[in-house]
Amino acid sequence: MTKSVTIAQARQADQHTIKTIGIPSLVLMERAALGATARLQPDTFDLTHVLVFAGTGNNGGDGLAIARMLHVRGIDVTVMLTGDAHKTSVETGQQLAILSYYHIPIIPASTDLTGYTTIVDAIFGIGLDRPVSGKFADWVNAINASSAPVLSVDVPSGLNADTGEPQGATVQATATSTFAYAKQGFLTDSGQQYTGQLFVEDIGVYLNDRAD
Ligand SMILES: NC(=O)C1=CN([C@@H]2O[C@H](COP(=O)(O)OP(=O)(O)OC[C@H]3O[C@@H](n4cnc5c(N)ncnc54)[C@H](O)[C@@H]3O)[C@@H](O)[C@H]2O)[C@@H](O)CC1
Ligand SMILES: [K+]
């Protein structure tokens, strides 16, 4: 059976790796983004014009690193940011600065998703703490209405990763690239309907200091 963790366990393992072991958060983010980018295979994902829909927390930071990895491979990528570029998490601010070096287009989030052939959903991960409503719900509904396949980063945005139940509008992913361990809610009947195909990426975060 697939090993799974609660949100609290995932957070604790991340913090242990960063604070006690000393592996920097940006290193984990880089590994997460490498793992997710490798899932964007052309048999499922048409990479003609990729949209990365990024939030301002670290899930968005993962998305921005994915955008960079696609850009350096010559793939046409646009980033939509859901909030103020000056009010991001520290790591996401660092990823934004890197994107500006590469002149990767960053535009405000919109419901007009015309022309994008793949969408990377990096709006919310395990930091979701309330139902998705208002303009966030409009964006999520637009993602779900798009014909483009969707790769969700860590968690389909809007899904409660503990229960597998939607918290307001929730992305229905073609596939989900989740980090370190499957989240408990993904293994429920409800959760599976949102994650689509589930990939678990080894990012160097372990519950017991060993890869198992
Ligand atoms: N260093 C780390 O701890 C790592 C974190 N990683 C990524 O970071 C994610 C967790 O990052 P964060 O803790 O920053 O959380 P998230 O990026 O999941 O989201 C947090 C942000 O969303 C806002 N928010 C939550 N629910 C909302 C709602 N319904 N409507 C509007 N805004 C809402 C919060 O206020 C906060 O600003 C993981 O899921 C994973 O993708 C990975 O990069 C691996 C390493
Ligand atoms: K996400």
Side-chain angles (χ1 to χ4, degrees):
M1 197 177 146
T2 311
K3 187 166 187 172
S4 66
V5 295
T6 62
I7 295 171
Q9 286 175 310
R11 283 220 177 274
Q12 200 200 355
D14 283 348
Q15 290 309 304
H16 175 71
T17 309
I18 295 164
K19 295 201 171 133
T20 308
I21 302 178
I23 300 175
S25 183
L26 272 183
V27 171
L28 303 183
M29 192 172 269
E30 196 76 4
R31 288 187 67 166
L34 278 167
T37 303
R39 303 302 179 182
L40 290 169
Q41 291 299 318
D43 54 347
T44 305
F45 296 98
D46 175 351
L47 302 180
T48 307
H49 191 181
V50 178
L51 173 67
V52 174
F53 222 116
T56 54
N58 277 0
N59 194 251
D62 295 338
L64 298 177
I66 292 168
R68 166 183 26 105
M69 289 171 190
L70 294 173
H71 173 83
V72 299
R73 288 167 171 75
I75 292 165
D76 189 0
V77 58
T78 297
V79 172
M80 282 188 184
L81 195 63
T82 64
D84 186 335
H86 301 289
K87 292 182 184 163
T88 66
S89 65
V90 172
E91 292 87 347
T92 300
Q94 289 170 311
Q95 299 292 355
L96 276 173
I98 295 169
L99 259 58
S100 73
Y101 170 87
Y102 287 107
H103 303 293
I104 296 170
I106 303 175
I107 60 177
S110 147
T111 54
D112 180 5
L113 307 185
T114 315
Y116 299 111
T117 58
T118 283
I119 298 171
V120 175
D121 154 37
I123 303 176
F124 305 121
I126 58 172
L128 183 80
D129 58 9
R130 54 195 185 274
V132 176
S133 62
K135 61 189 180 180
F136 285 92
D138 294 341
W139 296 325
V140 166
N141 291 333
I143 291 171
N144 286 341
S146 162
S147 58
V150 178
L151 178 74
S152 282
V153 176
D154 202 24
V155 181
S157 297
L159 189 72
N160 181 316
D162 277 341
T163 65
E165 295 297 324
Q167 278 194 266
T170 300
V171 169
Q172 267 188 301
T174 309
T176 297
S177 179
T178 200
F179 306 131
Y181 298 95
K183 311 303 181 278
Q184 189 176 266
F186 295 173
L187 306 185
T188 65
D189 290 344
S190 169
Q192 282 173 19
Q193 287 170 30
Y194 290 92
T195 62
Q197 187 172 11
L198 182 64
F199 300 108
V200 181
E201 319 299 351
D202 178 359
I203 64 164
V205 170
Y206 311 112
L207 284 173
N208 303 307
D209 288 345
R210 293 204 185 262
D212 53 3

